[in-house]
Amino acid sequence: MKITVLAPAKLNLFLDIIGRRSDGYHLVNMVMQSVSLYDEVTLSLHDSGIRLNCSDETIPCDAGNTAHRAAAGFLKAVGQETQGVSIKLKKRIPSQAGMAGGSSDAAAVLFGLNELFDAPLTRTELLEIAEEIGADVPFCLYGGTMTAGGIGTILNPLPDLPECCFVIVKPTFSVSTKDAYERSDVLGYDRVTSPEHIVSGICNGSLEEVGKWMYNKFEAVADVPEIDVIKRKMLQQGALGACMTGSGSAVFGLFDDEDSADDCKAVLSKEYDDVFIVRPTAEGVCLK
């Protein structure tokens, strides 16, 4: 038996870093949104060992891969560490983009294995494994529209966004998450931006307010002029707001008009290979 799980990308509508714990983990305020750009994760059981294959040859398929770690964590939790698992990743979410592709793949493995094993673990138990893998993995299990606090694992649901779409551009350059956090440490945490305005816009169903208050602190430390160039082009094409997601390097614009989004994609596709139009989704990982 095998199953295929859809693993959606995420966008950070808001991201501020508000401090750093003594153990090195950073404290954040975020508003996160899952979107309709999916990796496909196909799972099946076999005799022994975790076998991982990926359509993107640049992604390591060893024990350090988040999907591999998710499988190992699940099998340990259910006392089936000798059980073999085959994982096939069909990648569509760009890597090193700040879109949680690896985290969503891990969440898909946890969800999918729980289905294959007839749901021995509760959602709470799956979340405990997810937190050990990475801060974005719990959100990817749930999906939808949420605030995230603490190190990113304290989640609270928000109302779904009104009908809209996002244009996403992944430039050719990538941003190291580790380097981005180190630069934010140098910048300091005296100036903290509150997510209350964008949360209010979401709760009131105002896309204009959402676009106005989208924010990402990593833009201030990235110091990459191309990010601002992409944002400006999106705004010129009618975006209600534009922002980088995660630690980058993907940039997205929010549109309430599909024709404007199509025009924006056409303009940006002349310069960039990876340009997507996506919609917000109300759930995280799910069966295909």
Side-chain angles (χ1 to χ4, degrees):
M1 178 182 178
K2 67 178 180 180
I3 62 171
T4 298
V5 182
L6 296 178
K10 67 86 183 170
L11 298 176
N12 291 99
L13 304 180
F14 183 96
L15 191 162
D16 197 14
I17 311 157
I18 62 175
R20 184 179 181 183
R21 300 194 317 196
S22 58
D23 61 5
Y25 283 95
H26 289 81
L27 300 172
V28 295
N29 273 333
M30 298 190 294
V31 178
M32 306 172 80
Q33 176 65 57
S34 54
V35 295
S36 60
L37 176 63
Y38 300 97
D39 286 349
E40 291 187 9
V41 181
T42 300
L43 299 159
S44 59
L45 304 180
H46 60 83
D47 291 339
S48 65
I50 298 172
R51 304 173 187 172
L52 177 61
N53 293 286
C54 183
S55 61
D56 184 342
E57 296 180 354
T58 67
I59 294 177
C61 290
D62 56 17
N65 186 290
T66 54
H68 193 292
R69 290 167 56 203
F74 179 90
L75 294 175
K76 180 179 180 181
V78 298
Q80 297 283 343
E81 293 173 86
T82 60
Q83 172 66 59
V85 175
S86 173
I87 308 168
K88 294 183 179 180
L89 304 180
K90 185 175 182 179
K91 295 293 293 182
R92 293 190 180 94
I93 303 170
S95 299
Q96 296 182 307
M99 298 173 67
S103 295
S104 197
D105 293 344
V109 169
L110 293 176
F111 176 87
L113 287 179
N114 207 42
E115 291 289 317
L116 281 176
F117 279 80
D118 295 324
L121 299 184
T122 65
R123 177 60 67 93
T124 298
E125 290 169 328
L126 288 175
L127 286 172
E128 289 175 356
I129 303 171
E131 286 188 20
E132 294 178 1
I133 300 168
D136 282 344
V137 183
F139 168 78
C140 293
L141 272 172
Y142 279 111
T145 313
M146 287 194 170
T147 63
I151 63 170
T153 58
I154 302 174
L155 302 172
N156 288 291
L158 292 169
D160 295 341
L161 288 180
E163 186 172 343
C164 63
C165 53
F166 299 96
V167 175
I168 304 172
V169 173
K170 170 58 174 72
T172 54
F173 68 89
S174 298
V175 177
S176 163
T177 300
K178 179 177 180 292
D179 290 347
Y181 272 110
E182 288 177 351
R183 288 195 293 268
S184 73
D185 288 337
V186 173
L187 189 64
Y189 304 106
D190 294 334
R191 299 179 62 184
V192 175
T193 301
S194 171
E196 62 178 327
H197 294 297
I198 191 167
V199 170
S200 176
I202 293 170
C203 291
N204 293 329
S206 172
L207 289 175
E208 291 78 9
E209 287 295 298
V210 173
K212 178 180 178 181
W213 294 105
M214 291 194 312
Y215 171 78
N216 188 334
K217 184 175 184 178
F218 280 127
E219 290 182 27
V221 300
D223 192 28
V224 179
E226 190 172 353
I227 292 170
D228 289 328
V229 171
I230 296 171
K231 288 172 59 178
R232 185 163 57 250
K233 290 180 179 179
M234 288 177 167
L235 294 171
Q236 290 170 347
Q237 294 298 316
L240 300 175
C243 194
M244 189 175 77
T245 182
S247 59
S249 59
V251 180
F252 66 94
L254 170 64
F255 291 82
D256 61 358
D257 173 59
E258 190 169 348
D259 289 338
S260 296
D262 288 337
D263 291 343
C264 182
K265 180 182 179 181
V267 169
L268 291 167
S269 294
K270 296 175 182 178
E271 301 178 57
Y272 300 97
D273 292 333
D274 292 330
V275 184
F276 312 91
I277 295 180
V278 301
R279 297 187 178 278
T281 67
E283 61 181 352
V285 294
C286 59
L287 293 177
K288 182 177 179 182

